[in-house]
Amino acid sequence: DIQMTQSPSSLSASVGDRVTITCRASQSISTYLNWYQQKPGKAPKLLISAASSLQNGVPSRFSGSGSGTDFTLTISSLQVEDFATYYCQHSYSIPPYTFGQGTKLEIK
Amino acid sequence: QLQLQESGPGLVKPSETLSLTCTVSGGSIISSSYYWGWIRQSPGKGLEWIGSVYYGGSTYYNPSLKSRVTMFVDTSKNQFSLKLSSVTAADTAVYYCAGETVTTPLVWFDPWGQGTLVTVSS
């Protein structure tokens, strides 16, 4: 199975900060990488597909980049509603489709 | 707007079979745009994809769970279901159903149900 490793596992930041979360795959996955946001007690919400395609309705302060094994999710100017846990997920080749362990973004 | 809702027992005894159903509303489960997936989340293992089913009946499962998993679709009720046999405490988790968009080879999960907690305990 392809393993997805996110860093950091947790992150403290302030409103207005620029934040970057990294996801690394154990082998090349081209750009078959998605990002989700999860708030406490809620289901994950798809933010970005194919490494960099922003989903409809997702604020433009979110962006994704990368290919191969290294990917980043960037929030350009943190808002209060962005404090949540973020997950990456690959869909390269055959299943299983694995998720990263998550990055919890907390208010400093 | 497509919406999904999980239902089923919140408590299952060890060695028994966990059964959950996901009801799709706002659209038809007979859709070439979606597979229908199950994903679970436990503190110990994070998010784990369990498997997916197509309205025509084809399925694919996580190899780690394949021997215990069955998924099927009931098109008359616009529902799909998960059965997980021989459960143990390790199967305690929040179980989500989700629409799985397949633009081969890219696959993503959206929308998601709200999730249902299943506890395995005697």
Side-chain angles (χ1 to χ4, degrees):
Chain A
D1 298 356
I2 297 173
Q3 305 304 314
M4 308 301 294
T5 303
Q6 290 181 232
S7 60
S9 295
S10 63
L11 174 60
S12 293
S14 301
V15 172
D17 283 354
R18 179 183 180 88
V19 167
T20 297
I21 297 168
T22 297
C23 178
R24 175 164 290 174
S26 59
Q27 66 181 73
S28 177
I29 58 170
S30 184
T31 57
Y32 305 133
L33 188 284
N34 308 310
W35 289 99
Y36 300 83
Q37 175 194 67
Q38 185 179 34
K39 295 183 178 179
K42 300 293 187 182
K45 171 189 172 185
L46 179 68
L47 296 178
I48 289 171
S49 62
S52 60
S53 293
L54 204 64
Q55 295 301 294
N56 289 340
V58 176
S60 59
R61 61 181 179 273
F62 289 91
S63 63
S65 66
S67 66
T69 60
D70 295 319
F71 302 85
T72 58
L73 171 69
T74 299
I75 309 171
S76 60
S77 179
L78 270 176
Q79 302 300 302
V80 171
E81 59 267 30
D82 300 337
F83 291 94
T85 301
Y86 293 85
Y87 295 92
C88 60
Q89 171 246 323
H90 88 84
S91 68
Y92 183 78
S93 189
I94 59 175
Y97 306 125
T98 52
F99 294 81
Q101 82 280 13
T103 295
K104 186 174 184 179
L105 182 51
E106 299 175 302
I107 300 175
K108 185 181 285 184
Chain B
Q1 180 179 343
L2 207 58
Q3 292 185 307
L4 283 68
Q5 176 70 59
E6 305 89 351
S7 59
L11 181 64
V12 181
K13 290 182 168 54
S15 80
E16 296 190 344
T17 296
L18 178 160
S19 296
L20 295 175
T21 295
C22 183
T23 301
V24 178
S25 59
S28 175
I29 202 167
I30 302 175
S31 170
S32 60
S33 300
Y34 289 101
Y35 271 70
W36 304 100
W38 290 95
I39 297 148
R40 68 182 183 179
Q41 185 171 32
S42 59
K45 295 193 73 175
L47 288 163
E48 181 179 31
W49 172 75
I50 300 169
S52 303
V53 59
Y54 193 58
Y55 78 86
S58 59
T59 56
Y60 57 114
Y61 303 140
N62 190 322
S64 69
L65 298 167
K66 186 175 182 178
S67 63
R68 300 194 290 131
V69 172
T70 304
M71 295 182 186
F72 56 92
V73 172
D74 185 337
T75 56
S76 67
K77 295 182 178 178
N78 229 34
Q79 295 176 334
F80 61 103
S81 297
L82 165 70
K83 290 188 181 297
L84 181 65
S85 64
S86 305
V87 297
T88 69
D91 295 309
T92 294
V94 176
Y95 285 75
Y96 295 100
C97 59
E100 180 180 316
T101 296
V102 180
T103 309
T104 305
L106 186 61
V107 173
W108 67 79
F109 301 99
D110 180 61
W112 296 58
Q114 67 183 26
T116 187
L117 174 63
V118 179
T119 301
V120 178
S121 175
S122 54

